[in-house]
Amino acid sequence: MSVLAILLPVFLFFSCSDDEAMNDYEHQLIGRWVEDTDSHGEIFHAEFRKDGTGTQWIENYGVPGHVVAEDRFTWSATETTIFMTMEYSGDAAIEYVIRENKLYLSYDGDYMVYVRE
């Protein structure tokens, strides 16, 4: 029996799935979020996917599906910070907290509140 035949099952047993590679902080962010606002202007959306990619987009208020702008990103998270590399606007470290199913983001003195879609 070859060494490869012995090692392959051991390697497969100990390898991690994508879900196991994510930390608990990242798991809580996965999904679609929409800005919690009564604005009559633009509404911000964000989607965090399990594979570490995401999309943020802006829709005109009251016109679902009418996307004004869109930016794709890669991301990871710690207990208090989301690290994003945006397709068009570069790197960002955004402070966050999730309370009562709301996502509070803070960046450069501005903040936004999102709820799950």
Side-chain angles (χ1 to χ4, degrees):
M1 186 180 233
S2 77
V3 174
L4 182 59
I6 295 169
L7 291 179
L8 185 58
V10 171
F11 175 77
L12 292 175
F13 179 76
F14 286 105
S15 65
C16 297
S17 72
D18 288 342
D19 280 351
E20 291 170 354
M22 297 192 84
N23 63 45
D24 290 338
Y25 309 115
E26 291 167 337
H27 275 285
Q28 68 182 347
L29 289 164
I30 293 171
R32 293 178 72 144
W33 299 85
V34 61
E35 183 182 11
D36 187 19
T37 182
D38 291 330
S39 169
H40 295 289
E42 299 172 331
I43 293 220
F44 291 81
H45 298 260
E47 179 177 13
F48 295 91
R49 290 185 283 282
K50 287 181 185 180
D51 67 358
T53 64
T55 307
Q56 68 176 7
W57 66 98
I58 303 169
E59 288 182 351
N60 280 336
Y61 184 77
V63 187
H66 186 252
V67 176
V68 176
E70 182 177 276
D71 200 0
R72 297 182 197 301
F73 57 85
T74 57
W75 69 280
S76 64
T78 64
E79 182 178 4
T80 60
T81 308
I82 302 170
F83 299 96
M84 301 171 78
T85 300
M86 311 298 286
E87 183 177 38
Y88 298 115
S89 52
D91 295 337
I94 302 167
E95 299 299 313
Y96 81 97
V97 65
I98 296 176
R99 267 183 287 183
E100 298 175 7
N101 210 32
K102 290 188 177 189
L103 171 62
Y104 297 83
L105 300 177
S106 175
Y107 181 75
D108 281 346
D110 291 327
Y111 75 94
M112 293 181 76
V113 180
Y114 287 80
V115 294
R116 288 199 185 270
E117 267 190 82

